[in-house]
């Protein structure tokens, strides 16, 4: 009996343990499900309030449910969507294919600084890009923010050493719409301890106004702007953001963006770019290119090779996730000594990860696929054709003003002469009646003195370049008609 009692107690303990395990598993599973569901709801709520962009998984011809279509799928042609974005799973599958195509058989490790370039896919990628741009070397970076901060730091250190300067103020010069001024939370000041000298008229410089209302009609940086700063040897110059008084001798770098994104893709005339380069050499100032969209800029100039576009500059930053379509990634280019120092600074900035393979492979793959033949030339020609027809249509011109009036690259900005709410209503009406989504991303203009109510950016890329010109014309003509009725 005692033995039987022990067995029964043991069985009960086993059963209790099993029940407890099942209950715990059920509870954890239910909790996880609740957390996942709540997260989806919260994220869904968050994304539903964003007006910036549709799902990145959307392709050129998107599928959308229409209540008025009894639940049947209705094709939507998105005229503003410039880049085809795959789902995460599709993106990773594409990366796997790219590894096979590019011959990537092993991971990079901390940038492969000490590796034989012939045995490192990353060093091969960097060398390939450097050759395409006519520079000695290049280093892959995770972001443009890191790349340009490194360039500014190296040039500032070199400048201080060259002129034996112990001044506490180190400065660079840039256009009022520079990405460093508008979108990086003063990183150059807070992290690098540098000051910015803004070219042109600085009296009207208002970051919040530029970011909110755009920069309609603003010109790109011109040679005269650079001369006003770099030749003012006897005049005191005032910096941003700390309003310090300096001379031109304190300026280590002149930064030129090609093209200027915030003013609609406008380009500094090429002869003036060359003039700036000569001026910088004369003054002992480094000439740096913010080439986030340099592929578009090179096509805008009609250059046959990227080497021609990069030649005037001491250092060049390029981005791979914009027109090239990579997940993320950037590269900094220059002479061998500059890049060797850049690799040291990349580690100091915390950008020298154990491996950057997903980003680098995506960037290399995008570079190989897009930076060939006349890909960016065709994008520019496509946009120019469409804008030319729209500019000739008096009804379209009554609702929108393009800036510049004629595209200089495959990008342009538009300013609509109606409120944001009216534009959204008209756009929705057009989409429902024609299946054409003319615009999705609009920014409200908060300026009572402006004749514009909202604005947008329009770029031609891998996605919308495939759409027939007629769809653009039809969509915009219908949009102008409906908006006029409102």
């Amino acid at each position: 009996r005692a033995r039987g009692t022990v067995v029964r107690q043991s069985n009960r303990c086993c059963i209790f343990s099993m029940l407890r395990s099942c209950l715990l598993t059920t509870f954890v599973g239910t909790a996880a499900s609740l957390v996942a569901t709540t997260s989806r709801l919260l994220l869904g709520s968050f994304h539903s309030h964003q007006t910036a962009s549709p799902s990145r998984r959307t392709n050129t011809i998107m599928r959308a449910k229409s209540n008025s279509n009894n639940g049947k799928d209705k094709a939507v042609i998105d005229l503003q969507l410039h880049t085809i974005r795959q789902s995460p799973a599709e993106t990773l599958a594409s990366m796997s294919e790219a590894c096979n195509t590019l011959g990537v058989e092993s991971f990079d490790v901390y940038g492969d600084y000490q590796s034989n370039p012939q045995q490192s896919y990353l060093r091969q990628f960097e060398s390939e890009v450097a050759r395409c741009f006519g520079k000695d070397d290049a280093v892959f970076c995770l972001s443009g923010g890191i790349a340009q901060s490194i360039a500014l730091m190296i040039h500032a250190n070199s400048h201080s050493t060259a002129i034996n300067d112990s001044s506490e103020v180190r400065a660079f010069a840039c256009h009022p719409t520079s990405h460093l001024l508008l979108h990086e939370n003063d990183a150059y000041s807070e992290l690098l301890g540098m000051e910015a000298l803004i070219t042109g008229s600085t009296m009207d410089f208002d970051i919040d106004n530029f970011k909110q209302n755009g920069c309609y009609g603003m010109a790109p940086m011109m040679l005269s702007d650079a001369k006003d700063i770099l030749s003012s040897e006897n005049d005191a110059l005032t910096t941003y953001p700390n309003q310090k008084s300096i001379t031109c001798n304190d300026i280590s770098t002149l930064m030129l963006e090609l093209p200027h994104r915030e003013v609609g893709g406008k380009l500094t005339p090429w002869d003036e770019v060359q003039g700036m380069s000569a001026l910088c050499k004369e003054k002992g100032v480094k000439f740096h290119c913010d080439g986030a969209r340099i592929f578009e800029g090179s096509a805008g100039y009609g250059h046959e090779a990227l080497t021609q576009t990069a030649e005037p500059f001491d250092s060049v930053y390029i981005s791979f996730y914009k027109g090239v379509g990579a997940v993320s990634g950037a590269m900094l280019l220059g002479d061998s000594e500059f890049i060797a120092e850049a690799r040291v600074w990349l580690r100091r900035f915390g950008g020298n990860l154990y491996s950057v393979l997903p980003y680098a492979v995506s960037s290399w793959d995008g570079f190989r696929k897009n930076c060939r033949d006349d890909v960016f030339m065709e994008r520019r020609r496509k946009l120019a054709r469409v804008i030319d027809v729209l500019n000739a249509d008096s009804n379209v011109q009554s609702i929108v003003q393009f800036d510049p009036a004629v595209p200089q690259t495959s990008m342009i900005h538009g300013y609509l002469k109606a409120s944001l709410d009216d534009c959204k209503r008209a756009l929705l009406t057009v989409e429902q009646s024609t299946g054409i989504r003319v615009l999705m991303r609009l920014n409200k203009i908060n300026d009572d003195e402006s004749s514009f109510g909202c604005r947008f950016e329009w770029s031609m890329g891998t996605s919308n370049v495939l759409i027939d010109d007629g769809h653009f014309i039809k969509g915009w003509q219908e949009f102008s008609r409906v908006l006029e009725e409102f």
Side-chain angles (χ1 to χ4, degrees):
R1 282 198 303 272
R3 190 181 299 112
T5 300
V6 172
V7 171
R8 286 193 297 272
Q9 289 176 342
S10 177
N11 288 340
R12 283 196 295 269
C13 288
C14 289
I15 292 171
F16 176 75
S17 178
M18 291 170 63
L19 287 172
R20 182 176 61 181
S21 177
C22 289
L23 288 171
L24 182 60
T25 301
T26 301
F27 172 77
V28 172
T30 302
S33 178
L34 285 171
V35 170
T37 301
T38 302
S39 297
R40 284 195 298 271
L41 288 172
L42 287 174
L43 287 173
S45 174
F46 171 78
H47 287 299
S48 69
H49 285 80
Q50 304 305 298
T51 59
S53 64
S55 169
R56 289 190 179 274
R57 289 182 294 175
T58 308
N59 290 326
T60 308
I61 304 298
M62 300 187 301
R63 308 301 297 178
K65 291 289 186 179
S66 172
N67 293 330
S68 61
N69 200 30
N70 297 321
K72 295 181 180 179
D73 284 349
K74 182 179 179 181
V76 176
I77 303 173
D78 194 323
L79 305 183
Q80 196 180 20
L81 183 68
H82 57 80
T83 302
I84 298 174
R85 295 291 182 183
Q86 298 175 310
S87 70
E90 291 168 336
T91 299
L92 292 175
S94 296
M95 285 186 191
S96 178
E97 294 177 7
C99 284
N100 293 327
T101 302
L102 298 169
V104 178
E105 298 179 347
S106 60
F107 283 84
D108 59 286
V109 178
Y110 290 123
D112 284 349
Y113 289 0
Q114 308 304 321
S115 299
N116 183 335
Q118 300 304 316
Q119 298 176 345
S120 164
Y121 86 87
L122 182 59
R123 298 300 296 274
Q124 291 175 30
F125 174 32
E126 292 168 339
S127 296
E128 180 178 314
V129 175
R131 287 194 302 273
C132 285
F133 280 88
K135 298 301 181 185
D136 292 346
D137 201 357
V139 59
F140 184 81
C141 302
L142 291 176
S143 72
I146 292 178
Q148 301 213 100
S149 292
I150 290 173
L152 287 178
M153 181 61 75
I154 293 174
H155 292 328
N157 289 343
S158 174
H159 182 75
S160 297
T161 301
I163 65 174
N164 193 26
D165 181 28
S166 59
S167 171
E168 294 182 358
V169 181
R170 303 199 298 178
F172 68 97
C174 63
H175 191 264
T177 64
S178 170
H179 194 278
L180 278 73
L181 299 180
L182 302 188
H183 304 296
E184 297 183 19
N185 296 321
D186 297 335
Y188 64 89
S189 176
E190 299 295 330
L191 297 180
L192 309 183
M194 295 186 69
E195 292 286 306
L197 205 55
I198 303 170
T199 62
S201 175
T202 60
M203 296 300 294
D204 299 326
F205 181 65
D206 184 339
I207 286 182
D208 292 334
N209 180 56
F210 285 171
K211 292 170 71 173
Q212 179 66 52
N213 301 321
C215 310
Y216 178 75
M218 183 178 287
M221 185 189 294
M222 306 299 284
L223 178 58
S224 59
D225 297 324
K227 286 181 176 179
D228 286 344
I229 288 179
L230 298 183
S231 299
S232 304
E233 297 183 3
N234 299 319
D235 298 330
L237 304 168
T238 304
T239 68
Y240 181 89
N242 295 311
Q243 305 298 305
K244 292 187 177 181
S245 181
I246 65 170
T247 69
C248 64
N249 293 327
D250 296 310
I251 302 171
S252 60
T253 309
L254 176 65
M255 179 181 291
L256 178 64
E257 184 180 8
L258 294 181
H260 291 62
R261 184 263 181 105
E262 298 292 341
V263 295
K266 295 173 186 173
L267 289 164
T268 300
W270 187 245
D271 62 333
E272 301 212 7
V273 175
Q274 295 174 311
M276 290 180 191
S277 180
L279 177 64
C280 286
K281 286 182 173 62
E282 176 189 338
K283 300 296 181 180
V285 172
K286 297 298 183 182
F287 195 24
H288 173 75
C289 177
D290 176 348
R293 294 168 178 80
I294 195 170
F295 304 106
E296 291 87 341
S298 185
Y301 285 124
H303 291 168
E304 295 183 357
L306 293 167
T307 53
Q308 186 178 353
T309 313
E311 191 277 330
F313 300 95
D314 296 293
S315 57
V316 178
Y317 142 66
I318 64 175
S319 173
F320 294 111
Y321 85 86
K322 298 178 178 70
V324 177
V327 172
S328 187
M331 202 166 279
L332 186 60
L333 303 91
D335 62 36
S336 299
E337 183 179 353
F338 172 81
I339 295 301
E341 192 169 353
R343 289 193 166 96
V344 175
W345 276 104
L346 183 61
R347 175 159 292 182
R348 288 170 176 166
F349 273 101
N352 184 218
L353 274 63
Y354 179 75
S355 177
V356 294
L357 186 141
Y359 308 104
V361 167
S362 176
S363 296
W364 197 4
D365 186 46
F367 180 74
R368 284 276 184 95
K369 290 178 177 177
N370 292 287
C371 302
R372 55 181 173 76
D373 301 329
D374 62 347
V375 169
F376 287 91
M377 289 281 195
E378 175 52 32
R379 294 178 189 178
R380 178 198 173 203
R381 288 193 290 263
K382 171 90 169 183
L383 182 61
R385 285 198 310 269
V386 172
I387 295 297
D388 185 54
V389 175
L390 297 182
N391 280 334
D393 190 309
S394 59
N395 292 328
V396 174
Q397 281 300 291
S398 69
I399 68 163
V400 65
Q401 184 71 48
F402 292 111
D403 186 33
V406 178
Q408 297 178 19
T409 60
S410 55
M411 166 194 286
I412 201 166
H413 283 188
Y415 292 78
L416 291 162
K417 306 171 185 178
S419 70
L420 178 62
D421 289 340
D422 282 348
C423 286
K424 285 184 174 181
R425 288 170 54 211
L427 289 167
L428 182 59
T429 299
V430 172
E431 182 177 331
Q432 291 175 338
S433 63
T434 67
I436 299 176
R437 180 174 293 150
V438 179
L439 294 169
M440 180 67 181
R441 299 177 297 278
L442 291 169
N443 294 309
K444 183 178 181 180
I445 292 179
N446 290 319
D447 185 351
D448 295 335
E449 298 181 0
S450 174
S451 60
F452 305 117
C454 53
R455 61 189 178 90
F456 61 91
E457 181 174 283
W458 184 6
S459 297
M460 202 64 72
T462 55
S463 178
N464 52 3
V465 75
L466 302 175
I467 299 173
D468 185 80
D469 290 9
H471 289 304
F472 287 95
I473 308 307
K474 177 182 177 181
W476 272 95
Q477 288 178 340
E478 186 65 11
F479 175 40
S480 65
R481 184 189 67 79
V482 174
L483 192 57
E484 284 294 342
E485 290 180 357
F486 288 168

